[in-house]
Amino acid sequence: MQKRLTVLILSMILVVTMFSGCTKEKATENVDDSTKSNQTNKTEETQKDITLKVAVWDNSSTEIGNDLAAKFTEKYPNIKVEYIDIASTEYTNKLSIMLNGGSDLDVFYIKDADTTLSMYKKGQLYDLSSYIEENKIDLAKYNGLAENFQFDGGTYGLPYRTDYYILYYNKDVFDAASEPYPSNDMTWDQYVEVAARITSGEGANKVFGALTHTWNACVQNWAVQEGKNTIVSDDYTFMKPYYERALKMQNEDKSAMDYATLKTSNIHYSGPFLNGQVGMMPMGTWFMNTLILKKAQGETDINWGVATLPHDSSIEAGYTVGATTPIAMNADGKNKDAAWKFIEFVTNEQAAAYISTQGVLPSILTDEALGNVSNAEGMPEGVAEALAVKNIELDRPIAAHVLEVNKILGEEHGLIMFGESTIDEGLKKIKERVSEIIND
């Protein structure tokens, strides 16, 4: 009897063990099938064809954007880039309308970096922090520029390229006047004096020593060059010496084309310079690429050079004013992972090395990038030395009310340059109008 009981118990244990083994094997098969299914879904998602809609301005005027898009798609074959190309003069306004209207944009470049704060407050920007942390992106490589797009602990844009003001000059004009080319240590007072000496001719044949473009920045920027002031202020008398210089050149020395002619005729700064009508012109580094392209296309034979932006005698050479172009992700975009891939791609070291070979300054300013810009086909001698600046002040700080303030500055600037307001009257009016906005 005992023997039978023992056999029965052993038989039951064997059955249970076999059943348990079958169950475990079946469960393992189910887990494996589930894992394979998830991996398949992830692969399908990764390989799914995606078209990224990217807003940009004046893309047709340069090959850089298209080249980067092609390189990106080569790396990510399932992601195509569709540029929404908008004219530069309309870009900021149209981008705002698109975002306010719930556009299906995925990514957009921000032409006026000072609008970033406003976009953030409207909830139009997606926080890139998780992507930056996950991909171990060191923001220090952007030389302090990335911090301008950090709000409330998040990062809402990455710098793509940077530009700052330098001095362009026509070597033939200087040679004709037997005047030495501008140095990288020219002061603003010397700039005024040299402009007067190289001005020549009359009427349609007149060659002006300098061109002060119609933007208010082309007078007011030099007032914030030192870094002690910004365009958002409670007093604007610090701008007076710069208006005195500009008006002296325009009205007394007749060494600069007058504001009224430039404004009423809607003359773009590039025209007079490319036509050889101007000896010197302070303008942004972005103009180098235009000059190279125009010469390569045979549209101008200008013999040009560049120098560091002139400075006040109170500061050392190498101080300039500039801006950066950030790229951001639409908070309402549907392709965020793909959008991040594009943002990271165009703001990394490899993209910086490429765009610098095209005469454009990337946000990652390395010795290699400056060397590439200097060695780009069509660049004149001395570019690397001219671009080796010591300090770049933002022309428009990323701060509250900066858009309204800049609008006021532009309006009153026109009245001063037209002669409808004196310098003192104009600067007083700016102070009053800005105070109303800030204290409202």
Side-chain angles (χ1 to χ4, degrees), residues 108-136:
F108 49 90
Y109 292 89
I110 302 177
K111 183 174 182 291
D112 299 309
D114 52 308
T115 62
T116 308
L117 179 60
S118 173
M119 290 180 176
Y120 162 71
K121 289 182 176 179
K122 292 177 182 177
Q124 296 170 337
L125 306 179
Y126 187 77
D127 186 2
L128 305 176
S129 299
S130 61
Y131 287 110
I132 292 170
E133 182 177 353
E134 181 182 348
N135 291 272
K136 296 180 173 58

Side-chain angles (χ1 to χ4, degrees), residues 3 11 47 50 97 117 125 130 154 208 235-236 246 256 421 436:
K3 185 176 180 180
S11 298
Q47 293 178 347
I50 295 173
I97 293 172
L117 179 60
L125 306 179
S130 61
F208 292 88
D235 183 16
Y236 289 87
S421 293
E436 289 177 3

Side-chain angles (χ1 to χ4, degrees), residues 49-60:
D49 286 342
I50 295 173
T51 298
L52 278 181
K53 293 189 176 182
V54 181
V56 68
W57 69 91
D58 291 354
N59 185 60
S60 59

Side-chain angles (χ1 to χ4, degrees), residues 11-44:
S11 298
M12 290 176 65
I13 292 173
L14 180 61
V15 170
V16 170
T17 302
M18 290 175 62
F19 180 80
S20 175
C22 290
T23 304
K24 183 176 181 181
E25 182 178 350
K26 185 66 174 177
T28 303
E29 288 177 0
N30 289 339
V31 169
D32 289 342
D33 289 344
S34 176
T35 301
K36 289 177 182 178
S37 177
N38 288 338
Q39 289 175 344
T40 300
N41 290 338
K42 189 172 183 180
T43 301
E44 288 176 352

